[in-house]
Amino acid sequence: MRAGPLFGALATSLRRNLAMTCAVVVTVAICLALLGAGLLLRAQARTVDRFLLDQIEVVVDLQDGLSDTDRRALRDELAADPLVTKVSYESKQQVYERFRRDFRSSPDVVAGVSADDLPASFRLALADPRDAEEIVYTYTGRDGVEAVRDQRALLGPLYRFLDGFTLGAFALAAVQAVASFVLIYTMIRISAHARRRETAIMRLVGATNAAIRAPFVLESALAGLVGGLLAVGTLVLAKVYLVDGRFAHQTMFPLFGWGAVWAAAVAVLAVGVTAAAGMASVALRRHLRV
């Protein structure tokens, strides 16, 4: 089918179904914006995880009364472990000073703890922080070891929070996707019914199903593209005004960059156009069989 008649048919269809097309665009935009939000939340979770892998250590708490000889022997064993790159010893007083820094915003907590209440410890830097579980398993229960702590476990609530928001965004996107597909199906069926005489004439002159289907698929793909562009605009605004604006002053964790936004934008546009065009093709199968 030549481009001129194809775009002419597309313009005619859009004029006839303007209200339905706008409804499809808005619904698709909401669906894709939620999908993009889920992708950005996943990117933020990966950003935080990479940051923490470089910052978090494994802490080996020592039992009180451990002799200097036994402590040195344990230190030598830890230093010789191929998974460990650095071993740092902290006395009870040093552990207490760290505790005071970490809980400086909670003076009541600090007031109830003294240096004697805290164990001396070895702090371990690992070649690959993902091997922390193996270190915990290997050294837990050793003579002189009170406990072995993987500090990443303390951040479990944060990971669950990010995972929960990501799952919620994807679930809402799935619900909106169902609504979008229903609207696209309805729009294409209405458009095809309104132009049934034109398609009958095209069949009589030998037009193929692909030529008949092309204007409808293009119409749906265009609606998906416009909805995708609106969703991308929403993601960009969220990055500018929320991530780089409201949350930029927090210093606990790094935030995802523009690369994650553009990757999500590409995915959103691809999903919007292909899903909308695919749904239009499905909606036309019954019509073309008649």
Side-chain angles (χ1 to χ4, degrees):
M1 189 174 183
R2 293 192 301 274
L6 176 61
F7 287 110
L10 173 63
T12 301
S13 180
L14 291 175
R15 285 197 303 269
R16 289 176 176 175
N17 303 291
L18 183 59
M20 180 65 74
T21 302
C22 290
V24 170
V25 168
V26 171
T27 308
V28 168
I30 295 173
C31 168
L32 295 178
L34 289 170
L35 173 63
L39 293 174
L40 291 182
L41 284 170
R42 284 184 59 192
Q44 179 60 33
R46 289 195 296 268
T47 300
V48 170
D49 192 50
R50 286 194 297 268
F51 171 76
L52 293 178
L53 285 177
D54 294 333
Q55 301 294 324
I56 298 299
E57 299 173 311
V58 173
V59 180
V60 179
D61 293 328
L62 305 178
Q63 294 176 349
D64 292 340
L66 184 67
S67 67
D68 291 342
T69 301
D70 291 338
R71 188 180 71 241
R72 285 194 295 270
L74 178 59
R75 181 189 182 113
D76 292 341
E77 183 180 358
L78 290 168
D81 194 307
L83 301 180
V84 179
T85 59
K86 182 180 179 182
V87 181
S88 302
Y89 173 72
E90 287 188 346
S91 65
K92 283 177 169 286
Q93 185 61 37
Q94 290 171 320
V95 171
Y96 178 66
E97 293 300 326
R98 180 186 291 273
F99 174 80
R100 290 181 59 187
R101 290 196 302 271
D102 292 342
F103 290 90
R104 58 183 178 274
S105 59
S106 302
D108 293 338
V109 175
V110 174
V113 178
S114 67
D116 290 335
D117 297 324
L118 301 173
S121 62
F122 288 121
R123 304 183 74 87
L124 312 180
L126 305 184
D128 186 348
R130 295 178 181 84
D131 293 328
E133 290 186 5
E134 184 174 346
I135 292 292
V136 173
Y137 176 79
T138 301
Y139 292 96
T140 297
R142 289 288 186 91
D143 291 339
V145 175
E146 180 175 317
V148 183
R149 295 180 284 120
D150 176 10
Q151 292 183 328
R152 287 190 305 167
L154 301 175
L155 296 166
L158 173 64
Y159 286 120
R160 288 193 292 271
F161 174 80
L162 291 174
D163 291 342
F165 262 81
T166 302
L167 182 61
F170 284 146
L172 289 174
V175 172
Q176 286 293 327
V178 173
S180 300
F181 290 153
V182 170
L183 279 175
I184 291 171
Y185 183 89
T186 303
M187 178 187 72
I188 295 302
R189 296 291 295 169
I190 290 175
S191 180
H193 181 75
R195 294 166 56 187
R196 61 189 182 279
R197 289 187 178 181
E198 298 174 29
T199 56
I201 293 172
M202 292 176 67
R203 278 179 175 160
L204 290 175
V205 299
T208 64
N209 282 346
I212 297 172
R213 186 185 291 116
F216 300 101
V217 173
L218 184 59
E219 177 183 352
S220 184
L222 180 62
L225 176 62
V226 174
L229 290 174
L230 290 175
V232 169
T234 301
L235 297 180
V236 170
L237 290 176
K239 170 66 173 171
V240 172
Y241 291 105
L242 290 179
V243 178
D244 292 346
R246 180 176 294 273
F247 301 134
H249 301 296
Q250 67 84 30
T251 58
M252 292 182 61
F253 306 111
L255 301 174
F256 63 84
W258 281 102
V261 177
W262 302 135
V266 171
V268 160
L269 290 174
V271 169
V273 173
T274 56
M279 193 61 199
S281 182
V282 170
L284 284 170
R285 284 183 180 179
R286 179 182 168 187
H287 175 76
L288 294 177
R289 286 198 300 263
V290 177

